[in-house]
Amino acid sequence: MSTARVVLVTGASSGIGRACTEAFLAEGARVIAAARRTERLADLHAQHGDAVLPLTVDVRDRAQVSAALGSLPADWTPIDVLVNNAGLAAGRGPIHTDDPENWDRMLDTNVRGLLNVSACVLPGMVERGSGHVVNIGSNAGREVYPGGAVYCATKAAVERITRGMRMDVLGSGVRISQVDPGMVETEFSLVRFDGDEAPAKAVYEGLTPLSAADVADVVTWVASRPPHVVVADVLLYPVDQAGSGRVARRS
Ligand code: NDP
Ligand code: 8X3
């Protein structure tokens, strides 16, 4: 049986999650790559072979998450590192005209989804007295911007959950960290603008955003500190950003 670390990355089919998957694989870990789009996960498996276990799952669905994580092949447990990354923003409209469906998608994915996955993984970590959870928050959890009330609220909730988790597992040896990126060019804006490429592209115009690999670099660094060290949180900006909406565009 392999002794390589087992890492579960949610939202592994794209962006930061995919980059984290590849960065952990490059370090010799084995990665359970979870997301809804099976074909993207199959592609990861085709590229990286049996070091990747594709796991099609919708993190919003607690029963599905529990069934999927409860029936992992024996050599894919225990999970050493969980990267709670699956998430999205939906819409940029003012709250008084926004579609409540957008709120549900964000709350259900970014908050309930993170809890659903953690609920399946944390108890085993606490029992074994080892493990590391890295939650992906956002600079948006530390402030708020027009048209971002609910997204920012979900990321503020992630920050509260991270802190509370750390208190709850205190003394067990389990580590809880959070990485808060600023602007990262992924499919995030395309999803936010419902597939509309022009506004999605405009978000990154005139500046050099972070890449998903930049974030993965930090996540793997956080997860590779000695067992007695907890990097509690990291805020990561591109050089042209100093806050939500505070950007220098150079064009
Ligand atoms: P992407 O849209 O590129 O990736 C999002 C990932 O989340 C996809 O793999 C998607 O997979 C997965 N996902 C979404 N909904 C679900 C679901 N219900 N169940 C399982 N997986 C799901 O965006 P990013 O990589 O940028 O986003 C990753 C995280 O980083 C998010 O939490 C986001 O809030 C956060 N973040 C992003 C920033 C940015 O500027 N890009 C900045 C700060 C934080 P699939 O659709 O296949 O299910
Ligand atoms: C994503 C960054 O500024 O688009 O979390 O909200 S932002």
Tab-separated table of all heavy atoms in Angstrom, residues 137-140 145 151-152 155 181-183 188 192 241 244, ligand 2:
chain	number	residue	atom	x	y	z
A	137	GLY	N	-10.964	30.751	1.517
A	137	GLY	CA	-11.867	31.883	1.739
A	137	GLY	C	-11.700	32.870	0.610
A	137	GLY	O	-11.648	32.488	-0.565
A	138	SER	N	-11.581	34.131	0.953
A	138	SER	CA	-11.380	35.179	-0.057
A	138	SER	C	-11.124	36.493	0.658
A	138	SER	O	-11.570	36.674	1.802
A	138	SER	CB	-12.641	35.325	-0.915
A	138	SER	OG	-12.537	36.465	-1.756
A	139	ASN	N	-10.444	37.396	-0.030
A	139	ASN	CA	-10.372	38.759	0.520
A	139	ASN	C	-11.795	39.305	0.685
A	139	ASN	O	-12.055	40.154	1.531
A	139	ASN	CB	-9.544	39.672	-0.393
A	139	ASN	CG	-10.237	39.985	-1.700
A	139	ASN	OD1	-10.568	39.073	-2.450
A	139	ASN	ND2	-10.492	41.244	-1.965
A	140	ALA	N	-12.726	38.758	-0.125
A	140	ALA	CA	-14.120	39.195	-0.062
A	140	ALA	C	-14.780	38.841	1.273
A	140	ALA	O	-15.827	39.393	1.616
A	140	ALA	CB	-14.911	38.587	-1.216
A	145	TYR	N	-18.317	44.632	-1.066
A	145	TYR	CA	-18.358	45.576	-2.186
A	145	TYR	C	-19.749	45.561	-2.794
A	145	TYR	O	-20.502	44.582	-2.613
A	145	TYR	CB	-17.271	45.245	-3.225
A	145	TYR	CG	-17.255	43.803	-3.692
A	145	TYR	CD1	-18.092	43.355	-4.713
A	145	TYR	CD2	-16.395	42.877	-3.108
A	145	TYR	CE1	-18.070	42.038	-5.133
A	145	TYR	CE2	-16.354	41.564	-3.532
A	145	TYR	CZ	-17.191	41.144	-4.545
A	145	TYR	OH	-17.171	39.841	-4.963
A	151	TYR	N	-22.125	36.956	-1.640
A	151	TYR	CA	-20.844	36.251	-1.825
A	151	TYR	C	-19.900	36.583	-0.665
A	151	TYR	O	-19.286	35.692	-0.067
A	151	TYR	CB	-20.203	36.616	-3.171
A	151	TYR	CG	-18.852	35.954	-3.347
A	151	TYR	CD1	-18.761	34.572	-3.510
A	151	TYR	CD2	-17.669	36.694	-3.296
A	151	TYR	CE1	-17.523	33.943	-3.630
A	151	TYR	CE2	-16.424	36.079	-3.422
A	151	TYR	CZ	-16.357	34.696	-3.583
A	151	TYR	OH	-15.136	34.079	-3.697
A	152	CYS	N	-19.784	37.876	-0.360
A	152	CYS	CA	-18.890	38.285	0.738
A	152	CYS	C	-19.349	37.658	2.056
A	152	CYS	O	-18.511	37.239	2.875
A	152	CYS	CB	-18.848	39.807	0.856
A	152	CYS	SG	-18.087	40.603	-0.582
A	155	LYS	N	-18.142	34.131	2.317
A	155	LYS	CA	-16.711	34.006	2.602
A	155	LYS	C	-16.404	34.489	4.024
A	155	LYS	O	-15.466	33.992	4.655
A	155	LYS	CB	-15.890	34.748	1.541
A	155	LYS	CG	-15.949	34.062	0.168
A	155	LYS	CD	-15.427	32.612	0.236
A	155	LYS	CE	-15.352	31.924	-1.092
A	155	LYS	NZ	-14.801	30.568	-1.024
A	181	PRO	N	-7.469	34.296	-1.230
A	181	PRO	CA	-6.910	34.972	-2.396
A	181	PRO	C	-7.695	36.232	-2.752
A	181	PRO	O	-8.906	36.326	-2.493
A	181	PRO	CB	-7.062	33.936	-3.523
A	181	PRO	CG	-7.597	32.686	-2.886
A	181	PRO	CD	-8.246	33.105	-1.606
A	182	GLY	N	-6.984	37.164	-3.388
A	182	GLY	CA	-7.654	38.275	-4.071
A	182	GLY	C	-8.029	37.800	-5.465
A	182	GLY	O	-8.496	36.681	-5.645
A	183	MET	N	-7.783	38.654	-6.468
A	183	MET	CA	-8.249	38.320	-7.825
A	183	MET	C	-7.386	37.236	-8.482
A	183	MET	O	-6.192	37.414	-8.658
A	183	MET	CB	-8.213	39.572	-8.699
A	183	MET	CG	-9.153	40.657	-8.211
A	183	MET	SD	-8.807	42.217	-9.017
A	183	MET	CE	-9.663	41.945	-10.558
A	188	PHE	N	-13.931	31.553	-12.463
A	188	PHE	CA	-14.754	32.178	-11.435
A	188	PHE	C	-15.668	33.286	-11.996
A	188	PHE	O	-16.883	33.300	-11.744
A	188	PHE	CB	-13.824	32.760	-10.362
A	188	PHE	CG	-14.496	33.500	-9.250
A	188	PHE	CD1	-15.015	32.824	-8.159
A	188	PHE	CD2	-14.605	34.890	-9.278
A	188	PHE	CE1	-15.637	33.510	-7.118
A	188	PHE	CE2	-15.227	35.580	-8.247
A	188	PHE	CZ	-15.744	34.891	-7.168
A	192	ARG	N	-19.646	33.605	-12.495
A	192	ARG	CA	-20.369	34.701	-11.838
A	192	ARG	C	-21.287	35.427	-12.823
A	192	ARG	O	-22.403	35.780	-12.498
A	192	ARG	CB	-19.366	35.689	-11.240
A	192	ARG	CG	-20.023	36.935	-10.705
A	192	ARG	CD	-19.083	37.787	-9.885
A	192	ARG	NE	-19.642	37.930	-8.556
A	192	ARG	CZ	-19.032	38.467	-7.520
A	192	ARG	NH1	-17.824	38.914	-7.641
A	192	ARG	NH2	-19.639	38.576	-6.364
A	241	GLN	N	-3.507	44.964	-6.622
A	241	GLN	CA	-4.745	44.979	-5.830
A	241	GLN	C	-4.420	45.304	-4.375
A	241	GLN	O	-3.448	44.820	-3.811
A	241	GLN	CB	-5.453	43.605	-5.901
A	241	GLN	CG	-6.783	43.585	-5.150
A	241	GLN	CD	-7.574	42.300	-5.325
A	241	GLN	OE1	-7.029	41.272	-5.718
A	241	GLN	NE2	-8.854	42.360	-5.033
A	244	SER	N	-10.895	44.854	-2.100
A	244	SER	CA	-11.970	44.577	-3.063
A	244	SER	C	-12.267	45.847	-3.848
A	244	SER	O	-12.590	46.880	-3.267
A	244	SER	CB	-13.233	44.132	-2.328
A	244	SER	OG	-13.111	42.777	-1.982
B	2	8X3	C1	-13.203	36.363	-5.335
B	2	8X3	C2	-12.582	37.724	-5.305
B	2	8X3	O1	-13.030	40.203	-5.381
B	2	8X3	O2	-14.195	38.807	-7.007
B	2	8X3	O3	-13.348	35.863	-4.062
B	2	8X3	O4	-14.864	38.821	-4.708
B	2	8X3	S1	-13.729	38.926	-5.610
